Amino acid sequence: ALALEQIRKLEVDCIEERAARVKLDEMVQNTTNATKEAEKMIQTQTESLLKAEQKTRIETNARLNAENSVQKYQTDMKQMEIQFNEVIISKEYQMQSQIASLEEMVQTTSEQLCLEQTKLADEQKARFMAEI
């Protein structure tokens, strides 16, 4: 009877151990599933972060390209302004040279006219004196 009792106790212990093993297997399976799920979430978040980083890089490149374009435009505008000012200065110099040249021609012509008038006046005076 004592041996029978011990056999029943061992059978109960075996059943409990099997139940514990099943429970442990379920826990291991649940942990494995949870780990796989966590790995999927990490992978998804990593992909999202990579996409966000790529988008940020693209936006940064676009901003830098825009800034470079603005700087190039400003540089081109300053260069055009310098060239425009150089042309204006050159034209002003040419005009001043032409004005000075014309003034000199007018002065020379005026002097020649005065000399001619004086000569004509002297000739008329000499004719007048010769007639008297």
Side-chain angles (χ1 to χ4, degrees):
L2 187 59
L4 198 55
E5 174 107 7
Q6 285 180 341
I7 290 174
R8 280 191 196 134
K9 189 172 189 236
L10 284 174
E11 285 177 346
V12 168
D13 285 348
C14 270
I15 291 172
E16 287 176 357
E17 187 179 322
R18 277 190 214 137
R21 258 194 218 144
V22 168
K23 187 74 170 165
L24 183 61
D25 285 346
E26 284 178 16
M27 290 172 63
V28 167
Q29 188 61 44
N30 288 342
T31 303
T32 302
N33 290 344
T35 301
K36 286 180 183 178
E37 193 63 35
E39 286 173 352
K40 284 181 188 176
M41 288 174 59
I42 289 170
Q43 182 65 30
T44 301
Q45 289 177 350
T46 301
E47 289 171 1
S48 293
L49 286 173
L50 289 173
K51 285 179 184 176
E53 183 181 343
Q54 183 179 12
K55 182 180 176 188
T56 301
R57 234 182 277 130
I58 289 169
E59 289 171 352
T60 301
N61 286 341
R63 183 180 49 77
L64 290 174
N65 287 341
E67 288 174 2
N68 287 341
S69 293
V70 167
Q71 287 177 349
K72 184 181 181 326
Y73 172 78
Q74 289 173 340
T75 301
D76 290 349
M77 288 303 291
K78 285 180 182 177
Q79 188 62 35
M80 286 174 61
E81 182 181 356
I82 289 168
Q83 291 172 351
F84 180 73
N85 288 337
E86 288 173 350
V87 167
I88 288 176
I89 290 168
S90 173
K91 291 295 181 189
E92 285 177 352
Y93 178 76
Q94 287 176 357
M95 287 175 65
Q96 288 174 354
S97 290
Q98 288 175 349
I99 288 171
S101 180
L102 288 172
E103 286 175 345
E104 189 177 316
M105 286 173 59
V106 166
Q107 182 66 31
T108 302
T109 304
S110 293
E111 288 172 1
Q112 287 175 349
L113 284 174
C114 284
L115 288 173
E116 283 292 320
Q117 284 178 343
T118 304
K119 185 179 173 185
L120 286 174
D122 287 347
E123 287 175 2
Q124 281 180 346
K125 184 177 176 186
R127 265 189 258 140
F128 180 70
M129 290 295 214
E131 290 177 8
I132 298 179

